[in-house]
């Protein structure tokens, strides 16, 4: 409406068409509601009208469907439906899903409001903003035809008896029509926004998108963990076994080779193969440690503490195994935290403590270092926080200058029953 060419565009006529079709659709909806309600009330005495009451409850669906199509008259991005797909085929599943949806009852409320109140407002707006100016602009034509060239009435209120007055009223009608085009745009825009708010709540749409995004993030994490385990398994069963065989072959060749340059070269090759095997084992351990898959988080944290460059005390009590994604995320948080302690803190000692309480895994990583850790300084804590948040957990850091530093991780989860350990890794 702020564009200079609004009056010469199709938008005023599209707004008028939206309000005009709203008035017509409202009359039909009101007639249908009254008819169905009367029939249901009469037949309910015989227990026959109860199924028809379900029809009344679902009558908002077609009204909302028609409204979404009408919104295309004035909106290039009309409201979309928010209904869920039934969990199973068949009429019963469809009815159960629809009757339990908030969107169904919201659309029923809109349909009742539309049939009782909104369509009279549409009719009033189209009458005042379009028919009145058109009637004034047609005053000379009405005076020449119906009035026999002598007189005519303007809006059934004022009598015009002269041609100059008739043409003056016509000019005034054209000016009012230009102003009323903007009034039509405002009325149609407000009316459409109300319809969009009631039949396509943005909150529900955003909520559905948030749920979908959360689900997609969880699926991505699961796929990532599965890929990590596949790579670890391929390296362990493939490349590592070949390196072991190569190291044994070189060792046997050293025993059989006479002293000399060839024996020295075999010795160097044997040492390089042993070094490559050690590096590969360390890489496999970093991808997905076997102790985590076989024995769980408590044993894996103890193993990480033993390999830490800084002495680490472990006080972690768990009732059993936890879901695989939780164990994996918690383990790598602990490993990253201990690596940061060794690289940046200057600490003399660290401690990993926690347990499973009230349906939550709680981990604390403490060190007596210099403090001043910053999650935004590239220490990897931001990525760990994102990984924990995928599991609906949270990561908090307290590291004042001068120390100490405390990293807190909380992840909601339930411990798995005995006998499911093989499925956690």
């Amino acid at each position: 409406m702020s564009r200079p060419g609004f009056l010469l565009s199709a938008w005023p006529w599209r707004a008028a068409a939206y309000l005009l079709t709203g008035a017509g659709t409202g009359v039909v909806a009101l007639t249908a509601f009254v008819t169905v309600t009367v029939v249901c009330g009469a037949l309910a005495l015989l227990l026959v009208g109860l199924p028809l009451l379900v029809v009344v409850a679902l009558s908002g669906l077609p009204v909302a469907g028609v409204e979404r199509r009408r919104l295309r008259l004035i909106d290039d991005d009309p409201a979309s439906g928010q209904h869920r797909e039934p969990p199973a085929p068949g009429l019963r599943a469809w009815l159960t899903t629809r009757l339990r949806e908030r969107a169904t009852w919201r659309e029923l409320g809109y349909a009742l409001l539309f049939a009782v109140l909104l369509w009279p407002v549409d009719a009033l707006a189209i009458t005042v903003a379009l028919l009145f100016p058109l009637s004034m602009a047609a005053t000379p034509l009405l005076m020449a035809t119906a009035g026999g060239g002598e007189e005519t009435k303007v809006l059934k209120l004022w009598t015009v008896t002269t041609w100059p007055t008739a043409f003056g009223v016509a000019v005034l009608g054209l000016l009012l029509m230009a102003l009323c085009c903007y009034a039509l745009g405002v009325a149609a825009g407000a009316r459409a926004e109300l319809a969009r708010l009631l039949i396509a709540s943005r909150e529900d749409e955003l909520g559905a998108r948030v749920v979908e995004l959360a689900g997609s993030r969880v699926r991505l994490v699961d796929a990532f963990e599965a890929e990590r385990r596949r790579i670890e398994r391929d390296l362990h069963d493939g490349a590592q076994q070949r390196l072991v065989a190569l190291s044994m072959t070189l060792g046997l060749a050293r025993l059989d080779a006479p002293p000399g340059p060839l024996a020295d070269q075999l010795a160097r090759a044997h040492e390089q193969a042993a070094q490559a095997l050690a590096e590969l084992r360390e890489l496999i351990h970093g991808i997905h440690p076997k102790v985590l898959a076989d024995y769980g988080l408590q044993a894996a944290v103890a193993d990480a503490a033993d390999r830490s460059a800084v002495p680490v005390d472990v006080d972690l009590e768990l009732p059993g195994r936890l879901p695989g994604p939780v164990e994996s995320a918690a383990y790598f948080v602990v490993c990253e935290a201990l690596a940061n302690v060794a690289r940046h803190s200057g600490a003399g000692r660290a401690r990993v403590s926690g347990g499973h309480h009230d349906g939550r895994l709680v981990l604390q990583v403490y060190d007596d270092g210099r403090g001043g850790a910053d999650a935004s300084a590239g220490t990897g804590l931001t990525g760990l926080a994102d990984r924990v948040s995928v599991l609906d957990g949270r990561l908090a850091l307290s590291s004042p200058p001068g120390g100490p530093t405390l990293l807190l991780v909380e992840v909601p989860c339930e411990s798995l029953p005995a006998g499911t350990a093989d499925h956690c890794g």
Side-chain angles (χ1 to χ4, degrees):
M1 292 175 59
S2 61
R3 297 176 182 175
F6 172 73
L7 292 176
L8 300 179
S9 67
W11 286 108
W13 301 108
R14 293 175 68 171
Y18 176 72
L19 294 174
L20 184 61
T21 56
T25 307
V27 173
V28 175
L30 177 60
T31 304
F33 270 121
V34 171
T35 302
V36 174
T37 304
V38 170
V39 172
C40 290
L43 296 180
L45 300 175
L46 303 176
L47 300 179
V48 180
L50 295 179
L52 294 180
L53 293 177
V54 177
V55 176
V56 175
L58 299 177
S59 58
L61 301 181
V63 175
V66 172
E67 183 62 32
R68 292 189 181 97
R69 289 179 175 83
R70 290 201 315 113
L71 283 173
R72 295 190 178 96
L73 290 171
I74 59 169
D75 195 345
D76 292 332
D77 185 19
S80 58
Q82 302 295 324
H83 294 287
R84 299 192 305 267
E85 289 295 328
L91 179 61
R92 182 183 181 86
W94 185 85
L95 287 175
T96 302
T97 302
R98 291 295 172 265
L99 292 176
R100 291 179 178 177
E101 281 184 316
R102 291 175 55 190
T104 300
W105 300 103
R106 189 171 60 246
E107 291 177 357
L108 175 61
Y110 170 78
L112 293 173
L113 183 65
F114 178 47
V116 175
L117 179 62
L118 294 182
W119 76 263
V121 175
D122 293 346
L124 180 62
I126 201 71
T127 300
V128 173
L130 187 61
L131 296 184
F132 285 0
L134 283 177
S135 178
M136 294 175 65
T139 299
L141 179 62
L142 293 175
M143 187 172 177
T145 55
E150 295 181 358
E151 67 175 18
T152 186
K153 283 188 174 293
V154 179
L155 303 179
K156 304 294 183 181
L157 297 176
W158 302 286
T159 302
V160 175
T161 58
T162 63
W163 287 104
T165 304
F167 283 106
V169 172
V171 172
L172 180 60
L174 293 176
L175 294 176
L176 287 177
M177 185 178 296
L179 295 177
C180 288
C181 286
Y182 288 96
L184 283 174
V186 172
R191 173 71 174 77
E193 186 62 27
L194 176 62
R196 191 181 298 107
L197 178 66
L198 294 178
I199 66 175
S201 175
R202 298 296 174 86
E203 294 181 359
D204 289 351
E205 183 177 352
L206 290 177
R209 290 182 180 180
V210 168
V211 171
E212 177 59 28
L213 286 175
S216 64
R217 290 176 65 186
V218 172
R219 290 192 295 270
L220 285 175
V221 170
D222 291 342
F224 178 69
E225 289 300 325
E227 186 66 15
R228 288 170 64 101
R229 289 193 293 270
R230 185 192 65 80
I231 294 174
E232 182 268 338
R233 189 166 52 249
D234 291 345
L235 291 176
H236 183 274
D237 298 338
Q240 180 177 251
Q241 300 303 322
R242 292 188 180 92
L243 278 176
V244 170
L246 175 62
S247 180
M248 294 178 61
T249 302
L250 290 174
L252 293 175
R254 286 181 61 187
L255 295 177
D256 295 337
L262 178 60
D264 294 339
Q265 291 181 0
L266 287 174
R268 287 195 297 271
H270 190 206
E271 292 175 358
Q272 292 176 357
Q275 184 178 359
L277 182 59
E279 293 177 354
L280 181 61
R281 284 172 176 169
E282 187 67 22
L283 176 62
I284 293 173
H285 192 278
I287 291 176
H288 194 83
K290 188 172 179 60
V291 64
L292 178 64
D294 292 344
Y295 300 104
L297 179 61
Q298 189 168 343
V301 169
D303 179 67
D306 291 338
R307 292 183 291 106
S308 174
V310 177
V312 179
D313 299 322
V314 178
D315 183 15
L316 184 62
E317 294 293 334
L318 297 176
R321 297 301 300 269
L322 301 176
V326 174
E327 286 190 340
S328 180
Y331 172 77
F332 285 107
V333 166
V334 171
C335 289
E336 181 68 22
L338 294 180
N340 287 336
V341 170
R343 287 195 298 261
H344 307 295
S345 71
R349 201 161 193 86
R351 183 177 71 250
V352 179
S353 60
H356 187 270
H357 310 287
D358 299 327
R360 301 181 71 86
L361 170 66
V362 180
L363 289 176
Q364 295 180 345
V365 182
Y366 170 89
D367 70 78
D368 57 3
R370 65 177 66 95
D374 186 2
S376 62
T379 58
L381 293 178
T382 303
L384 294 179
D386 292 340
R387 183 166 184 167
V388 170
S389 67
V390 172
L391 302 172
D392 291 333
R394 67 185 186 95
L395 184 147
L397 176 67
S398 173
S399 183
T405 296
L406 177 63
L407 180 70
L408 173 66
V409 178
E410 293 186 4
V411 181
C413 64
E414 296 295 336
S415 61
L416 298 179
T420 58
D422 295 338
H423 303 285
C424 295

